[in-house]
Structures are given as C-alpha cells and as structure tokens.
Amino acid sequence: MADAFTTRTIDITTGSTETVYDLTSACAAFLREAAHGRDGLLNVFVPHATAGVAVIETGAGSDEDLLAALHDLLPADNRWRHRHGSPGHGRDHVLPALVPPHATLPVIGGQLELGTWQSVVLVDTNVDNPRRQVRLSFLG
C-alpha cells in the first residue's frame, strides 16, 4: 500500500487580500514525484475552515469573476453571527459550503487529466489568515 498512496503538505502564502491561487503546477510537480507514470486519483484538500478548492479557468478573468460572485453571495458585512476577525469574517466560514475544501481529480499516465482551460485553485477569502496548507494525496 505504501507505493499506492503518497501524500504531501505544501505551504501557500495567500497574502492579505481575497485570492484565487493556482495550484496546478504544484499538483503536477507532486505527481511527477509520486505517480511514477501510474493511473490513479489526486486528492487536493485544504485543512482550513475558511478556504476551498475549485477547478476553473484562470488568467482570462474567471478568477476575478469567481471572487466577485462570492462577494455578491457572501457579502463582507455584519449580517453574520460568527463575528470574530475582520468585519464580515463570518462569511469566510460559509465559503466551504459553496467551494468545498477538497477536489479529487483523475491522473492518467502520471499526469493530471484536466480539460484544456482547467486549473486547480485554492479559493481564500479570509484576509485574516495569509498562510495556508494544502494536502496533496495520490492514490494509484
């Protein structure tokens, strides 16, 4: 089983602004070391209560559109019962219900099998926590 399952945690600095952080190259680098050309599954997991993982197009405005949509759905105001942190921080705790903290993706021949314009991203609206961890796990 040790050869079939490999996991690693990477540290990400997201800064003090809402962020869509592209993890695709980190996933590919991990798979080069872990998959050894095998087919399997990559699980990407964020062990935080205020961040999520998504598969979207990046670089053409979709990342900004995602943050704008989340801001419309989850405004950073005082409506939230969860009130510690920056104003509106309670919305950050609702985010994982809309953008889950995990994604499981196919790996074929040791490479992440994404569509042409798809990227794996960390979605982080919590400006109070600039440091995140992401766990990458390969099963194959």
Side-chain angles (χ1 to χ4, degrees):
M1 181 70 172
D3 289 340
F5 183 79
T6 305
T7 189
R8 174 177 303 138
T9 301
I10 59 174
D11 295 315
I12 304 293
T13 300
T14 57
S16 59
T17 60
E18 296 178 4
T19 303
V20 174
Y21 185 96
D22 194 337
L23 298 168
T24 310
S25 61
C27 292
F30 169 70
L31 288 171
R32 280 192 295 277
E33 295 177 21
H36 305 289
R38 297 189 313 260
D39 295 350
L41 296 171
L42 173 69
N43 181 264
V44 182
F45 176 71
V46 181
H48 298 283
T50 58
V53 176
V55 177
I56 64 167
E57 178 182 9
T58 58
S62 297
D63 31 3
E64 291 90 358
D65 289 342
L66 174 58
L67 290 175
L70 289 171
H71 197 275
D72 289 345
L73 289 169
L74 304 171
D77 58 23
N78 287 325
R79 73 182 70 203
W80 309 101
R81 290 179 183 93
H82 186 103
R83 294 187 185 261
H84 78 272
S86 297
H89 174 65
R91 65 128 183 189
D92 299 325
H93 288 275
V94 176
L95 174 76
L98 300 175
V99 181
H102 57 86
T104 300
L105 306 162
V107 176
I108 307 297
Q111 296 185 359
L112 195 54
E113 191 69 15
L114 292 173
T116 302
W117 303 112
Q118 290 181 317
S119 297
V120 182
V121 299
L122 167 68
V123 180
D124 186 1
T125 59
N126 182 357
V127 300
D128 294 334
N129 189 355
R131 292 184 189 86
R132 297 299 187 159
Q133 291 188 325
V134 177
R135 177 164 298 281
L136 305 175
S137 300
F138 175 71
L139 178 63

